[in-house]
Amino acid sequence: MKGSHRIIVESRKVKYDFVIHRNITIITGDSGSGKTVLIDLIHDYGRYGADSGVFLSCDCPCKVIDSEDWERKIEETTGSIIFIDEGNRFLVSKKFAQLVQGSDNYFVLATREKLPVLPYSVSEIYGFRKSGKFHDAKQKYNEIYHLYGEISEEKNINPKLV
């Protein structure tokens, strides 16, 4: 799987619209920012389809993997975007890193933990920002943004010490 993929996930109360560009994307944010809600909506859509009340649009399948039989599920899945929520202890394991690196899937990891065993790009770390346009029972649009800003190839960065 190569290239960028736009993902739109929408329910009556919340909407997520974002593009992922690489095989490992990290979504981070404070507690209550919407990371788990996003993954729960995708999980519900995967289980119940349109009957879940969730609209999901993407050019490839989106799946959620939790701690139950995660190794087999990753090995058997191809050409998909796999979402994994924080709290799954396998995220920091070497076995998980090996499976990710040997997979043709894209992975979206919602976590606040450091993942030193995974080779992900700093430009693929995102946070959630609530728009503030809608409150109470109205629909909320959550904005996803680059946590570390844009990195331009035009700038000559020559660090003295890394």
Side-chain angles (χ1 to χ4, degrees):
M1 220 166 83
K2 295 213 183 270
S4 298
H5 301 279
R6 182 177 182 195
I7 302 164
I8 300 171
V9 181
E10 185 174 1
S11 72
R12 287 187 348 221
K13 294 185 178 182
V14 67
K15 179 177 182 178
Y16 298 88
D17 186 345
F18 57 99
V19 177
I20 60 173
H21 306 281
R22 294 185 183 222
N23 66 328
I24 301 172
T25 299
I26 307 295
I27 297 176
T28 189
D30 295 333
S31 180
S33 62
K35 300 179 304 291
T36 299
V37 172
L38 168 65
I39 292 178
D40 287 346
L41 290 173
I42 295 168
H43 187 260
D44 289 348
Y45 184 83
R47 289 183 71 191
Y48 306 112
D51 291 340
S52 65
V54 176
F55 169 78
L56 175 69
S57 173
C58 186
D59 62 345
C60 56
C62 295
K63 301 178 183 237
V64 174
I65 291 182
D66 55 20
S67 60
E68 184 179 317
D69 205 14
W70 62 272
E71 289 180 59
R72 182 185 60 79
K73 289 178 182 177
I74 291 173
E75 289 170 345
E76 292 176 355
T77 303
T78 60
S80 299
I81 300 173
I82 297 175
F83 290 80
I84 302 173
D85 199 8
E86 63 187 341
N88 290 299
R89 287 183 277 169
F90 63 84
L91 279 177
V92 295
S93 72
K94 288 183 182 179
K95 178 66 175 174
F96 176 69
Q98 291 170 345
L99 287 172
V100 168
Q101 290 175 338
S103 175
D104 73 335
N105 298 302
Y106 275 29
F107 290 83
V108 178
L109 311 175
T111 184
R112 290 175 280 175
E113 293 184 45
K114 294 179 180 169
L115 302 171
V117 294
L118 287 174
Y120 56 89
S121 169
V122 70
S123 63
E124 286 302 307
I125 302 174
Y126 296 94
F128 279 137
R129 200 170 19 220
K130 294 181 182 175
S131 72
K133 292 182 179 177
F134 301 96
H135 297 286
D136 302 326
K138 295 183 182 175
Q139 189 175 38
K140 290 183 182 176
Y141 292 87
N142 288 330
E143 178 185 357
I144 191 170
Y145 64 95
H146 275 102
L147 195 61
Y148 293 103
E150 287 293 324
I151 297 174
S152 174
E153 292 181 18
E154 296 174 10
K155 295 179 184 176
N156 289 330
I157 301 173
N158 297 314
K160 294 179 182 177
L161 179 66
V162 178

